[in-house]
Coordinates of all heavy atoms in Angstrom, one line a residue:
M191 N -23.1 -95.2 -10.0 CA -24.3 -95.1 -9.1 C -23.8 -95.1 -7.6 O -24.3 -94.3 -6.8 CB -25.2 -96.3 -9.3 CG -26.3 -96.3 -8.4 SD -27.8 -96.1 -9.2 CE -28.9 -96.7 -8.1
I192 N -22.9 -96.0 -7.3 CA -22.3 -96.0 -6.0 C -21.5 -94.8 -5.7 O -21.6 -94.2 -4.6 CB -21.5 -97.3 -5.8 CG1 -22.4 -98.5 -5.8 CG2 -20.7 -97.3 -4.5 CD1 -21.8 -99.8 -5.4
N193 N -20.8 -94.3 -6.7 CA -20.1 -93.0 -6.5 C -21.0 -91.9 -6.2 O -20.7 -91.0 -5.4 CB -19.2 -92.7 -7.7 CG -18.0 -93.6 -7.8 OD1 -17.6 -94.1 -6.8 ND2 -17.5 -93.8 -9.0
K194 N -22.2 -91.8 -6.9 CA -23.1 -90.8 -6.6 C -23.7 -90.9 -5.2 O -23.9 -89.9 -4.6 CB -24.2 -90.9 -7.7 CG -24.9 -89.6 -8.0 CD -25.6 -89.7 -9.3 CE -25.6 -88.3 -9.8 NZ -26.3 -87.9 -10.9
I195 N -24.0 -92.1 -4.8 CA -24.5 -92.3 -3.4 C -23.4 -91.8 -2.4 O -23.8 -91.2 -1.4 CB -24.9 -93.8 -3.2 CG1 -26.1 -94.1 -4.0 CG2 -25.1 -94.0 -1.7 CD1 -26.4 -95.6 -4.0
K196 N -22.1 -92.1 -2.6 CA -21.1 -91.7 -1.8 C -21.0 -90.2 -1.7 O -20.8 -89.6 -0.6 CB -19.7 -92.3 -2.2 CG -19.6 -93.7 -1.9 CD -18.2 -94.2 -2.4 CE -18.0 -95.7 -2.2 NZ -16.7 -96.1 -2.7
E197 N -21.1 -89.5 -2.9 CA -21.1 -88.1 -2.9 C -22.3 -87.5 -2.2 O -22.1 -86.5 -1.4 CB -21.1 -87.6 -4.4 CG -19.8 -87.8 -5.1 CD -19.9 -87.4 -6.6 OE1 -20.8 -86.6 -6.9 OE2 -19.0 -87.8 -7.3
N198 N -23.4 -88.0 -2.4 CA -24.6 -87.6 -1.7 C -24.5 -87.8 -0.2 O -24.9 -86.9 0.6 CB -25.9 -88.2 -2.2 CG -26.3 -87.7 -3.6 OD1 -25.9 -86.6 -4.0 ND2 -27.1 -88.5 -4.3
A199 N -24.0 -88.9 0.2 CA -23.8 -89.2 1.6 C -22.8 -88.2 2.2 O -23.0 -87.7 3.4 CB -23.3 -90.6 1.8
A200 N -21.7 -87.9 1.5 CA -20.7 -86.9 2.0 C -21.4 -85.6 2.2 O -21.1 -84.8 3.1 CB -19.5 -86.9 1.1
N201 N -22.2 -85.2 1.2 CA -22.9 -83.9 1.3 C -23.9 -83.9 2.5 O -23.9 -82.9 3.2 CB -23.7 -83.6 0.0 CG -22.7 -83.3 -1.2 OD1 -21.6 -82.9 -0.9 ND2 -23.2 -83.4 -2.4
V202 N -24.6 -85.0 2.7 CA -25.5 -85.0 3.8 C -24.7 -84.9 5.1 O -25.1 -84.2 6.1 CB -26.3 -86.3 3.7 CG1 -27.1 -86.6 5.0 CG2 -27.3 -86.3 2.6
V203 N -23.6 -85.6 5.2 CA -22.8 -85.6 6.4 C -22.3 -84.2 6.7 O -22.3 -83.7 7.8 CB -21.7 -86.6 6.4 CG1 -20.7 -86.4 7.5 CG2 -22.2 -88.0 6.4
A204 N -21.9 -83.5 5.6 CA -21.4 -82.1 5.8 C -22.5 -81.2 6.2 O -22.2 -80.4 7.1 CB -20.8 -81.7 4.4
I205 N -23.6 -81.4 5.7 CA -24.8 -80.5 6.1 C -25.2 -80.8 7.5 O -25.4 -79.8 8.3 CB -26.0 -80.7 5.1 CG1 -25.7 -80.2 3.7 CG2 -27.2 -80.1 5.7 CD1 -26.7 -80.5 2.7
I206 N -25.2 -82.0 7.9 CA -25.5 -82.4 9.3 C -24.4 -81.8 10.2 O -24.8 -81.2 11.3 CB -25.6 -83.9 9.5 CG1 -26.8 -84.4 8.8 CG2 -25.6 -84.3 11.0 CD1 -26.9 -85.9 8.8
G207 N -23.2 -81.8 9.8 CA -22.1 -81.2 10.6 C -22.3 -79.7 10.8 O -22.1 -79.2 11.9
V208 N -22.6 -79.0 9.7 CA -22.9 -77.6 9.7 C -24.1 -77.3 10.6 O -24.0 -76.3 11.5 CB -23.0 -77.0 8.3 CG1 -23.5 -75.6 8.4 CG2 -21.7 -77.1 7.5
V209 N -25.1 -78.0 10.5 CA -26.3 -77.7 11.3 C -26.0 -78.0 12.7 O -26.5 -77.2 13.6 CB -27.5 -78.6 10.8 CG1 -28.7 -78.6 11.8 CG2 -28.0 -78.2 9.4
G210 N -25.3 -79.0 13.0 CA -24.9 -79.4 14.4 C -24.1 -78.3 15.0 O -24.2 -77.9 16.2
T211 N -23.1 -77.7 14.2 CA -22.3 -76.7 14.7 C -23.1 -75.4 15.0 O -22.9 -74.7 16.0 CB -21.2 -76.4 13.7 OG1 -20.4 -77.6 13.4 CG2 -20.2 -75.3 14.2
I212 N -24.0 -75.1 14.1 CA -24.8 -73.9 14.3 C -25.7 -74.1 15.5 O -25.9 -73.2 16.4 CB -25.7 -73.6 13.1 CG1 -24.8 -73.2 11.9 CG2 -26.8 -72.6 13.3 CD1 -25.5 -73.1 10.6
G213 N -26.2 -75.3 15.7 CA -27.1 -75.6 16.9 C -26.3 -75.5 18.2 O -26.7 -74.9 19.2
A214 N -25.0 -76.0 18.1 CA -24.2 -75.9 19.3 C -23.9 -74.4 19.6 O -23.8 -74.0 20.8 CB -22.9 -76.6 19.1
G215 N -23.7 -73.6 18.6 CA -23.4 -72.2 18.8 C -24.6 -71.5 19.4 O -24.4 -70.7 20.4
F216 N -25.8 -71.8 19.0 CA -27.0 -71.2 19.6 C -27.2 -71.7 21.0 O -27.6 -70.9 21.9 CB -28.2 -71.6 18.8 CG -28.4 -70.7 17.6 CD1 -28.4 -71.2 16.3 CD2 -28.6 -69.3 17.7 CE1 -28.6 -70.4 15.2 CE2 -28.7 -68.5 16.6 CZ -28.7 -69.0 15.3
T217 N -26.8 -72.9 21.3 CA -26.9 -73.5 22.7 C -26.0 -72.7 23.6 O -26.4 -72.3 24.7 CB -26.5 -74.9 22.7 OG1 -27.4 -75.7 21.8 CG2 -26.6 -75.5 24.1
V218 N -24.7 -72.5 23.2 CA -23.8 -71.7 24.0 C -24.2 -70.3 24.1 O -24.2 -69.7 25.2 CB -22.4 -71.8 23.3 CG1 -21.4 -70.8 24.0 CG2 -21.8 -73.2 23.4
Y219 N -24.8 -69.7 23.1 CA -25.3 -68.3 23.2 C -26.4 -68.3 24.2 O -26.5 -67.3 25.0 CB -25.8 -67.9 21.8 CG -26.4 -66.5 21.8 CD1 -25.7 -65.4 21.9 CD2 -27.8 -66.4 21.7 CE1 -26.2 -64.1 21.9 CE2 -28.4 -65.1 21.7 CZ -27.6 -64.0 21.8 OH -28.2 -62.8 21.8
G220 N -27.3 -69.2 24.2 CA -28.4 -69.3 25.1 C -27.9 -69.4 26.5 O -28.5 -68.8 27.4
Q221 N -26.9 -70.2 26.8 CA -26.3 -70.4 28.1 C -25.7 -69.1 28.6 O -25.9 -68.7 29.7 CB -25.3 -71.5 28.1 CG -25.9 -72.9 28.0 CD -24.8 -73.9 27.8 OE1 -23.7 -73.6 27.5 NE2 -25.2 -75.2 27.9
M222 N -25.0 -68.4 27.7 CA -24.4 -67.1 28.1 C -25.5 -66.1 28.4 O -25.4 -65.3 29.4 CB -23.5 -66.6 27.0 CG -22.3 -67.4 26.8 SD -21.0 -66.8 25.6 CE -21.8 -65.7 24.6
Q223 N -26.6 -66.0 27.6 CA -27.7 -65.1 27.9 C -28.3 -65.4 29.2 O -28.7 -64.5 30.0 CB -28.7 -65.2 26.8 CG -28.4 -64.5 25.5 CD -28.2 -63.0 25.7 OE1 -27.1 -62.5 25.5 NE2 -29.3 -62.3 26.1
E224 N -28.5 -66.7 29.5 CA -29.1 -67.1 30.8 C -28.2 -66.6 32.0 O -28.7 -66.1 33.0 CB -29.3 -68.6 30.9 CG -30.0 -69.1 32.1 CD -31.4 -68.6 32.2 OE1 -32.0 -68.3 31.2 OE2 -31.8 -68.3 33.4
Q225 N -26.9 -66.8 31.8 CA -26.0 -66.3 32.9 C -26.0 -64.8 33.0 O -26.0 -64.3 34.2 CB -24.5 -66.8 32.6 CG -24.3 -68.3 32.8 CD -22.9 -68.7 32.4 OE1 -22.2 -67.9 31.8 NE2 -22.6 -69.9 32.7
L226 N -26.1 -64.1 31.9 CA -26.2 -62.6 32.0 C -27.5 -62.2 32.7 O -27.5 -61.3 33.5 CB -26.1 -62.0 30.6 CG -24.7 -62.0 30.0 CD1 -24.8 -61.5 28.5 CD2 -23.7 -61.2 30.8
N227 N -28.6 -62.9 32.4 CA -29.9 -62.6 33.0 C -29.8 -62.9 34.5 O -30.4 -62.1 35.3 CB -31.0 -63.4 32.3 CG -31.3 -62.9 30.9 OD1 -31.0 -61.8 30.5 ND2 -31.9 -63.8 30.1
S228 N -29.2 -63.9 34.9 CA -29.1 -64.2 36.3 C -28.2 -63.2 37.0 O -28.5 -62.8 38.2 CB -28.5 -65.6 36.6 OG -27.2 -65.7 36.2
L229 N -27.2 -62.7 36.4 CA -26.3 -61.6 37.0 C -27.1 -60.3 37.0 O -26.9 -59.5 37.9 CB -25.0 -61.4 36.2 CG -24.0 -62.6 36.3 CD1 -22.8 -62.3 35.4 CD2 -23.5 -62.7 37.7
A230 N -27.9 -60.0 36.1 CA -28.7 -58.8 36.0 C -29.6 -58.6 37.2 O -29.9 -57.5 37.6 CB -29.5 -58.7 34.7
G231 N -30.0 -59.7 37.8 CA -30.9 -59.7 38.9 C -30.2 -59.5 40.3 O -30.9 -59.4 41.3
L232 N -28.9 -59.5 40.3 CA -28.2 -59.4 41.5 C -28.3 -57.9 42.1 O -28.3 -57.0 41.4 CB -26.7 -59.7 41.4 CG -26.3 -61.1 41.1 CD1 -24.8 -61.2 40.9 CD2 -26.8 -62.0 42.2
D233 N -28.4 -57.9 43.4 CA -28.5 -56.6 44.1 C -27.1 -56.2 44.5 O -26.5 -56.8 45.5 CB -29.4 -56.6 45.3 CG -29.5 -55.3 46.0 OD1 -29.2 -54.3 45.4 OD2 -30.0 -55.3 47.1
L234 N -26.4 -55.3 43.9 CA -25.1 -54.9 44.2 C -25.0 -53.8 45.2 O -23.9 -53.4 45.5 CB -24.3 -54.5 42.9 CG -24.2 -55.6 41.8 CD1 -23.6 -55.1 40.6 CD2 -23.5 -56.8 42.4
N235 N -26.1 -53.2 45.6 CA -26.1 -52.1 46.6 C -25.3 -52.4 47.9 O -24.5 -51.5 48.3 CB -27.5 -51.6 46.9 CG -28.1 -50.9 45.7 OD1 -27.4 -50.3 44.9 ND2 -29.4 -50.9 45.6
P236 N -25.5 -53.6 48.5 CA -24.7 -53.8 49.7 C -23.2 -53.8 49.4 O -22.4 -53.3 50.2 CB -25.1 -55.2 50.1 CG -26.5 -55.4 49.5 CD -26.4 -54.6 48.2
L237 N -22.8 -54.3 48.3 CA -21.3 -54.4 47.9 C -20.8 -52.9 47.7 O -19.7 -52.6 48.1 CB -21.1 -55.2 46.7 CG -19.7 -55.4 46.2 CD1 -18.9 -56.1 47.3 CD2 -19.7 -56.3 44.9
V238 N -21.6 -52.1 47.0 CA -21.2 -50.7 46.7 C -21.1 -50.0 48.0 O -20.2 -49.2 48.2 CB -22.3 -50.1 45.8 CG1 -22.0 -48.6 45.7 CG2 -22.2 -50.7 44.4
K239 N -22.1 -50.2 49.0 CA -22.0 -49.5 50.3 C -20.8 -50.0 51.0 O -20.1 -49.1 51.7 CB -23.3 -49.9 51.1 CG -23.4 -49.1 52.4 CD -24.6 -49.5 53.1 CE -24.8 -48.7 54.4 NZ -23.6 -48.7 55.3
E240 N -20.4 -51.2 51.0 CA -19.3 -51.7 51.7 C -18.0 -51.1 51.2 O -17.1 -50.7 51.9 CB -19.2 -53.2 51.6 CG -18.0 -53.8 52.4 CD -18.0 -55.3 52.4 OE1 -19.1 -56.0 52.2 OE2 -17.0 -55.9 52.6
I241 N -17.9 -51.0 49.8 CA -16.8 -50.4 49.2 C -16.7 -48.9 49.6 O -15.6 -48.4 49.9 CB -16.8 -50.5 47.7 CG1 -16.6 -52.0 47.3 CG2 -15.8 -49.7 47.0 CD1 -16.9 -52.3 45.8
A242 N -17.8 -48.2 49.6 CA -17.8 -46.8 50.0 C -17.3 -46.7 51.5 O -16.5 -45.8 51.8 CB -19.2 -46.2 49.8
D243 N -17.8 -47.6 52.4 CA -17.4 -47.5 53.8 C -15.9 -47.8 53.9 O -15.2 -47.1 54.7 CB -18.1 -48.6 54.6 CG -19.6 -48.2 54.7 OD1 -20.0 -47.1 54.5 OD2 -20.4 -49.1 55.1
Q244 N -15.4 -48.7 53.1 CA -13.9 -49.0 53.1 C -13.1 -47.8 52.7 O -12.1 -47.5 53.2 CB -13.6 -50.2 52.3 CG -14.1 -51.5 52.9 CD -13.5 -51.9 54.2 OE1 -12.3 -51.6 54.5 NE2 -14.3 -52.4 55.1
N245 N -13.6 -47.1 51.6 CA -12.9 -45.9 51.1 C -12.9 -44.8 52.2 O -11.9 -44.1 52.3 CB -13.6 -45.4 49.8 CG -13.3 -46.2 48.6 OD1 -12.3 -47.0 48.7 ND2 -14.1 -46.1 47.6
I246 N -14.0 -44.6 52.9 CA -14.0 -43.7 54.0 C -13.0 -44.0 55.1 O -12.3 -43.1 55.6 CB -15.5 -43.6 54.6 CG1 -16.4 -42.9 53.6 CG2 -15.5 -42.8 55.9 CD1 -17.9 -43.0 54.0
K247 N -12.9 -45.3 55.4 CA -11.9 -45.7 56.4 C -10.5 -45.4 55.9 O -9.7 -45.0 56.7 CB -12.1 -47.2 56.7 CG -13.3 -47.5 57.5 CD -13.5 -49.0 57.8 CE -14.7 -49.4 58.6 NZ -14.9 -50.8 58.8
I248 N -10.3 -45.7 54.7 CA -9.0 -45.5 54.1 C -8.6 -44.0 54.1 O -7.5 -43.6 54.5 CB -8.9 -46.0 52.7 CG1 -8.9 -47.6 52.7 CG2 -7.6 -45.5 51.9 CD1 -9.0 -48.2 51.3
E249 N -9.6 -43.1 53.8 CA -9.4 -41.7 53.8 C -9.0 -41.2 55.3 O -8.1 -40.4 55.5 CB -10.6 -40.9 53.3 CG -10.7 -41.0 51.8 CD -12.0 -40.2 51.3 OE1 -12.4 -39.2 52.0 OE2 -12.5 -40.5 50.3
K250 N -9.7 -41.7 56.2 CA -9.5 -41.4 57.6 C -8.1 -41.8 58.0 O -7.3 -41.1 58.7 CB -10.5 -42.0 58.6 CG -11.9 -41.3 58.5 CD -12.9 -42.0 59.4 CE -14.2 -41.3 59.3 NZ -15.2 -41.9 60.2
Q251 N -7.7 -43.0 57.6 CA -6.3 -43.5 57.9 C -5.3 -42.6 57.3 O -4.2 -42.3 57.9 CB -6.2 -45.0 57.5 CG -7.0 -46.0 58.3 CD -6.6 -46.0 59.8 OE1 -5.4 -45.8 60.1 NE2 -7.5 -46.1 60.7
N252 N -5.5 -42.2 56.0 CA -4.6 -41.4 55.3 C -4.4 -40.0 56.0 O -3.3 -39.5 56.1 CB -5.0 -41.2 53.9 CG -4.8 -42.4 53.0 OD1 -4.0 -43.3 53.4 ND2 -5.4 -42.5 51.9
Q253 N -5.5 -39.5 56.6 CA -5.5 -38.2 57.3 C -4.6 -38.4 58.6 O -3.8 -37.6 58.9 CB -6.9 -37.8 57.7 CG -7.7 -37.3 56.5 CD -9.1 -36.9 56.8 OE1 -9.6 -37.2 57.9 NE2 -9.8 -36.3 55.9
K254 N -4.9 -39.5 59.3 CA -4.1 -39.8 60.5 C -2.6 -39.9 60.2 O -1.7 -39.4 60.9 CB -4.6 -41.1 61.2 CG -5.9 -40.9 61.8 CD -6.4 -42.2 62.5 CE -7.7 -42.1 63.1 NZ -8.2 -43.4 63.7
I255 N -2.3 -40.6 59.1 CA -0.9 -40.7 58.7 C -0.3 -39.4 58.4 O 0.9 -39.1 58.7 CB -0.8 -41.7 57.5 CG1 -1.1 -43.1 57.9 CG2 0.6 -41.6 56.8 CD1 -1.3 -44.1 56.8
A256 N -1.0 -38.5 57.7 CA -0.5 -37.2 57.3 C -0.2 -36.4 58.6 O 0.8 -35.7 58.7 CB -1.5 -36.4 56.5
V257 N -1.1 -36.5 59.6 CA -0.9 -35.8 60.9 C 0.4 -36.3 61.6 O 1.2 -35.6 62.1 CB -2.1 -35.9 61.8 CG1 -1.8 -35.4 63.2 CG2 -3.3 -35.1 61.2
L258 N 0.5 -37.6 61.6 CA 1.7 -38.2 62.2 C 3.0 -37.9 61.5 O 4.0 -37.6 62.1 CB 1.5 -39.8 62.3 CG 0.5 -40.3 63.2 CD1 0.3 -41.8 63.1 CD2 0.8 -39.9 64.7
E259 N 2.9 -37.8 60.2 CA 4.1 -37.3 59.4 C 4.5 -35.9 59.8 O 5.7 -35.6 60.0 CB 3.9 -37.5 57.9 CG 3.9 -38.9 57.4 CD 3.5 -39.0 55.9 OE1 3.0 -38.1 55.4 OE2 3.8 -40.1 55.4
K260 N 3.5 -35.0 59.9 CA 3.8 -33.6 60.3 C 4.4 -33.6 61.7 O 5.3 -32.8 62.0 CB 2.6 -32.8 60.2 CG 2.2 -32.4 58.8 CD 3.2 -31.6 58.1 CE 2.9 -31.3 56.7 NZ 3.9 -30.6 56.0
T261 N 3.8 -34.4 62.6 CA 4.3 -34.4 64.0 C 5.7 -34.9 64.0 O 6.6 -34.3 64.7 CB 3.4 -35.4 64.8 OG1 2.1 -35.0 64.7 CG2 3.9 -35.4 66.3
M262 N 6.1 -35.9 63.2 CA 7.4 -36.4 63.1 C 8.4 -35.3 62.6 O 9.5 -35.1 63.1 CB 7.5 -37.6 62.2 CG 7.0 -38.9 62.9 SD 7.0 -40.4 61.8 CE 8.7 -40.4 61.2
Q263 N 7.9 -34.6 61.6 CA 8.8 -33.5 61.1 C 9.1 -32.4 62.2 O 10.2 -32.0 62.4 CB 8.1 -32.8 59.9 CG 8.1 -33.6 58.7 CD 7.4 -32.9 57.5 OE1 6.7 -31.9 57.7 NE2 7.4 -33.5 56.3
I264 N 8.0 -32.1 63.0 CA 8.2 -31.1 64.0 C 9.2 -31.6 65.1 O 10.1 -30.9 65.6 CB 6.8 -30.7 64.7 CG1 6.0 -30.0 63.6 CG2 7.0 -30.0 65.9 CD1 4.6 -29.8 64.0
L265 N 9.0 -32.9 65.5 CA 9.9 -33.5 66.5 C 11.3 -33.5 66.0 O 12.2 -33.3 66.7 CB 9.4 -34.9 66.9 CG 8.1 -34.9 67.7 CD1 7.6 -36.3 67.8 CD2 8.2 -34.2 69.0
E266 N 11.5 -33.9 64.7 CA 12.9 -33.9 64.1 C 13.5 -32.5 64.2 O 14.7 -32.4 64.5 CB 12.8 -34.4 62.7 CG 12.6 -35.9 62.7 CD 12.4 -36.5 61.2 OE1 12.2 -35.6 60.3 OE2 12.3 -37.7 61.1
L267 N 12.7 -31.5 63.9 CA 13.2 -30.1 63.9 C 13.6 -29.7 65.4 O 14.6 -29.1 65.6 CB 12.2 -29.1 63.3 CG 12.0 -29.2 61.8 CD1 10.9 -28.2 61.4 CD2 13.3 -28.7 61.1
E268 N 12.7 -30.1 66.3 CA 13.0 -29.8 67.7 C 14.3 -30.5 68.2 O 15.1 -30.0 68.9 CB 11.8 -30.2 68.6 CG 10.6 -29.3 68.5 CD 9.4 -29.7 69.3 OE1 9.5 -30.8 69.9 OE2 8.4 -29.0 69.3
I269 N 14.5 -31.8 67.7 CA 15.7 -32.5 68.1 C 16.9 -31.8 67.5 O 17.9 -31.6 68.2 CB 15.6 -34.0 67.6 CG1 14.6 -34.7 68.4 CG2 17.0 -34.6 67.7 CD1 14.3 -36.1 67.9
K270 N 16.8 -31.3 66.3 CA 17.9 -30.6 65.7 C 18.2 -29.3 66.5 O 19.4 -29.0 66.7 CB 17.6 -30.3 64.2 CG 17.8 -31.4 63.3 CD 17.5 -30.9 61.8 CE 17.7 -32.1 60.9 NZ 17.4 -31.7 59.5
E271 N 17.2 -28.6 66.9 CA 17.3 -27.4 67.6 C 18.0 -27.7 69.0 O 18.9 -26.9 69.4 CB 15.9 -26.8 67.8 CG 16.0 -25.4 68.5 CD 14.6 -24.8 68.6 OE1 13.7 -25.0 67.7 OE2 14.3 -24.2 69.7
I272 N 17.6 -28.7 69.6 CA 18.2 -29.1 70.9 C 19.7 -29.5 70.7 O 20.5 -29.0 71.5 CB 17.4 -30.3 71.6 CG1 16.0 -29.8 72.0 CG2 18.2 -30.9 72.8 CD1 15.1 -30.9 72.5
K273 N 20.0 -30.2 69.7 CA 21.4 -30.6 69.4 C 22.2 -29.3 69.1 O 23.3 -29.2 69.6 CB 21.5 -31.5 68.2 CG 21.0 -32.9 68.6 CD 21.2 -33.8 67.3 CE 20.8 -35.2 67.6 NZ 20.9 -36.1 66.4
T274 N 21.6 -28.4 68.4 CA 22.4 -27.2 68.1 C 22.6 -26.3 69.3 O 23.7 -25.8 69.5 CB 21.6 -26.4 67.0 OG1 21.3 -27.2 65.9 CG2 22.3 -25.1 66.6
S275 N 21.6 -26.2 70.2 CA 21.7 -25.4 71.4 C 22.7 -26.1 72.4 O 23.4 -25.4 73.1 CB 20.4 -25.2 72.0 OG 19.9 -26.4 72.5
N276 N 22.8 -27.4 72.3 CA 23.8 -28.1 73.2 C 25.2 -27.9 72.8 O 26.1 -27.9 73.6 CB 23.5 -29.6 73.3 CG 22.3 -29.9 74.2 OD1 21.9 -29.1 75.0 ND2 21.7 -31.1 74.0
K277 N 25.4 -27.6 71.5 CA 26.7 -27.4 71.0 C 27.2 -25.9 71.3 O 28.4 -25.7 71.3 CB 26.8 -27.6 69.4 CG 26.7 -29.0 69.0 CD 26.7 -29.2 67.5 CE 26.6 -30.6 67.1 NZ 26.5 -30.8 65.7
N278 N 26.3 -25.1 71.5 CA 26.6 -23.6 71.8 C 27.0 -23.5 73.3 O 26.1 -23.6 74.1 CB 25.4 -22.8 71.4 CG 25.8 -21.3 71.5 OD1 26.8 -20.9 72.0 ND2 24.8 -20.5 71.1
P279 N 28.2 -23.2 73.6 CA 28.6 -23.1 75.0 C 28.0 -21.9 75.7 O 27.8 -21.8 76.9 CB 30.1 -23.0 75.0 CG 30.5 -22.5 73.6 CD 29.4 -23.0 72.7
L280 N 27.6 -20.9 74.9 CA 27.0 -19.7 75.5 C 25.5 -19.9 75.9 O 25.0 -19.1 76.6 CB 27.1 -18.5 74.6 CG 28.6 -18.1 74.2 CD1 28.6 -17.0 73.2 CD2 29.3 -17.7 75.4
A281 N 24.9 -20.9 75.3 CA 23.5 -21.1 75.6 C 23.2 -21.8 77.0 O 22.1 -21.8 77.4 CB 22.9 -22.0 74.5
R282 N 24.3 -22.2 77.7 CA 24.1 -22.9 78.9 C 23.9 -22.0 80.1 O 24.1 -21.0 80.5 CB 25.2 -23.8 79.2 CG 25.3 -24.9 78.2 CD 26.4 -25.9 78.5 NE 26.4 -26.8 77.4 CZ 27.4 -27.7 77.2 NH1 28.3 -27.8 78.1 NH2 27.4 -28.5 76.2

């Protein structure tokens, strides 16, 4: 009789453990859903606009860099030309 009570008590404890685990799982799921719902209400338009503005600034900077690189190439060629003409005694 005592063995049967122990077995029943063990079964009850196991069932309570399973129910508690399932309940905890639903609680965590509910918390995650609540967080997702709060994120869904955020207005991301200002952030998207700021990113777009930054991209435009980056593109303008890249264009300026490209122009400066070409200018440097031209100046390097002019320096080579001047050096070459200075080496030619007939060019003076």
Side-chain angles (χ1 to χ4, degrees):
M191 173 116 163
I192 292 190
N193 287 337
K194 206 161 209 186
I195 291 174
K196 286 181 183 178
E197 287 177 17
N198 286 339
N201 287 340
V202 168
V203 169
I205 290 172
I206 289 172
V208 169
V209 169
T211 302
I212 292 171
F216 280 119
T217 301
V218 171
Y219 176 77
Q221 290 171 346
M222 289 186 340
Q223 282 298 115
E224 184 62 33
Q225 288 176 350
L226 288 174
N227 289 340
S228 68
L229 288 176
L232 290 178
D233 182 19
L234 298 178
N235 286 333
L237 184 60
V238 170
K239 184 180 181 313
E240 184 176 336
I241 291 171
D243 291 344
Q244 291 297 324
N245 284 341
I246 290 171
K247 288 179 183 178
I248 290 170
E249 285 182 28
K250 287 181 181 178
Q251 291 297 324
N252 286 340
Q253 289 173 352
K254 288 179 182 179
I255 290 170
V257 169
L258 289 173
E259 286 175 345
K260 287 295 180 185
T261 303
M262 284 177 53
Q263 287 177 354
I264 291 170
L265 290 173
E266 287 172 352
L267 289 173
E268 288 178 355
I269 290 171
K270 283 182 182 178
E271 186 178 322
I272 291 171
K273 285 180 180 179
T274 305
S275 68
N276 283 339
K277 289 180 182 177
N278 186 355
L280 300 176
R282 293 183 188 172

